Amino acid sequence: MIKLVDVIAHLDEFLAVDKVRDYCPNGLQIESTTEVNKIITGVSANIDLIDAAVSRGADTILVHHGFFWKGEEPTITGVKGGRIRSLIKNNLNLLVYHLPLDIHSGVGNNALLAKRLEVTVEGGFGRAGNIDLGIYGRLATKLSAVDLQKKIASILGRKPEITGSSDKLISSVGICTGAAQDFIEEAALAGVDAFISGEISERTPHMAKELGISYFAAGHHATEKFGIQALGEYLAENFEVEVEFIDIENNA
């Protein structure tokens, strides 16, 4: 078996956790056992993922979205209380990597989506401290908004919503997965023709139209599956541990 402390130390260094100011604690959030034999990875720490981990005899769950978000109710009650009780009752550790996983150049959500879209990354935007939360670059081939929509859908298995400008060919795109719709202005300032993220707000269509770019709302969950899968595969390659990704259905 592998020591939990060794896995945490390795991931914290690999993802450069100490360089990122986040909205939640990264690394170990719930500790139940000191050794790691089987890891279940998934996008979010919901009860369905926890139940799946229990049924597969796992001792550790590794996710992108965990608990203890900045500004949330700190008490261990309600849904969060039920999830945490189930983790502890079933001797499951919970490891969480949020922004450090989004921005990682190798296994990050942004980088992996860009790679699948055949985007050559040229720079970043969405500054937070000393890091950029988003990336931008050029498509291998110019595409219409509809053709880019089809390409994104084929990659994510989910048709994105398009808003804003849609009558010009797209050669450059900005990418910031998840709930990054409010980086649209910064993406436009980077000179892109389109911005791809996960969610859409009431204000987003107006911003896209007035900025003269296309906005693609491709799904929070859908745009953030690749990173946690890749991180699990990385662990399996570097530690003698079994890792399984479980995708809990989520259309948001």
Side-chain angles (χ1 to χ4, degrees):
M1 286 192 180
I2 309 300
K3 294 293 184 183
L4 176 64
V5 292
D6 293 334
V7 174
I8 296 167
H10 188 94
L11 288 177
D12 284 357
E13 181 178 1
F14 177 62
L15 296 172
V17 167
D18 60 347
K19 296 181 180 179
V20 182
R21 290 186 300 179
D22 210 336
Y23 320 111
C24 68
N26 285 285
L28 182 63
Q29 286 194 353
I30 304 294
E31 181 181 16
S32 295
T33 179
T34 60
E35 295 181 326
V36 178
N37 182 54
K38 180 168 183 176
I39 300 173
I40 294 299
T41 64
V43 177
S44 301
N46 52 62
I47 199 66
D48 287 339
L49 184 68
I50 294 169
D51 289 345
V54 172
S55 70
R56 286 162 170 78
D59 47 57
T60 301
I61 296 176
L62 171 64
V63 296
H64 183 50
H65 301 133
F67 309 131
F68 313 115
W69 299 97
K70 182 179 179 181
E72 79 170 12
E73 174 60 48
T75 56
I76 310 301
T77 57
V79 170
K80 181 172 68 174
R83 292 169 175 175
I84 292 174
R85 284 193 297 275
S86 184
L87 286 165
I88 295 172
K89 174 184 175 182
N90 291 288
N91 294 315
L92 283 164
N93 300 312
L94 179 66
L95 297 178
V96 179
Y97 291 95
H98 185 234
L99 291 183
L101 182 58
D102 283 321
I103 66 173
H104 194 272
S105 61
V107 298
N109 289 314
N110 293 333
L112 292 175
L113 181 54
K115 183 177 180 180
R116 284 167 170 78
L117 287 170
E118 299 178 282
V119 171
T120 300
V121 177
E122 298 177 333
F125 65 93
R127 201 74 173 165
N130 296 320
I131 62 170
D132 290 316
L133 298 181
I135 58 175
Y136 67 86
R138 299 209 162 267
L139 290 165
T141 304
K142 291 183 180 181
L143 298 171
S144 68
V146 171
D147 285 340
L148 181 55
Q149 180 188 46
K150 291 177 180 177
K151 185 164 188 173
I152 294 170
S154 69
I155 292 167
L156 300 181
R158 180 187 191 277
K159 185 179 180 180
E161 180 179 348
I162 309 174
T163 190
S165 175
S166 60
D167 58 355
K168 63 180 180 181
L169 288 177
I170 296 169
S171 61
S172 59
V173 299
I175 298 172
C176 193
T177 63
Q181 61 269 39
D182 285 337
F183 284 138
I184 188 170
E185 191 163 10
E186 294 186 49
L189 288 172
V192 301
D193 302 315
F195 177 38
I196 303 166
S197 189
E199 298 185 12
I200 189 167
S201 300
E202 186 276 340
R203 57 194 170 273
T204 312
H206 304 293
M207 292 295 294
K209 180 180 178 181
E210 293 170 43
L211 290 167
I213 68 173
S214 299
Y215 178 71
F216 294 80
H220 194 140
H221 180 91
T223 59
E224 297 194 328
K225 290 192 293 187
F226 298 134
I228 201 69
Q229 285 180 272
L231 188 61
E233 291 166 2
Y234 171 84
L235 278 178
E237 292 170 0
N238 286 273
F239 289 86
E240 292 182 3
V241 63
E242 183 181 353
V243 181
E244 180 184 354
F245 172 73
I246 297 178
D247 187 19
I248 303 299
E249 185 177 353
N250 187 331
N251 293 323

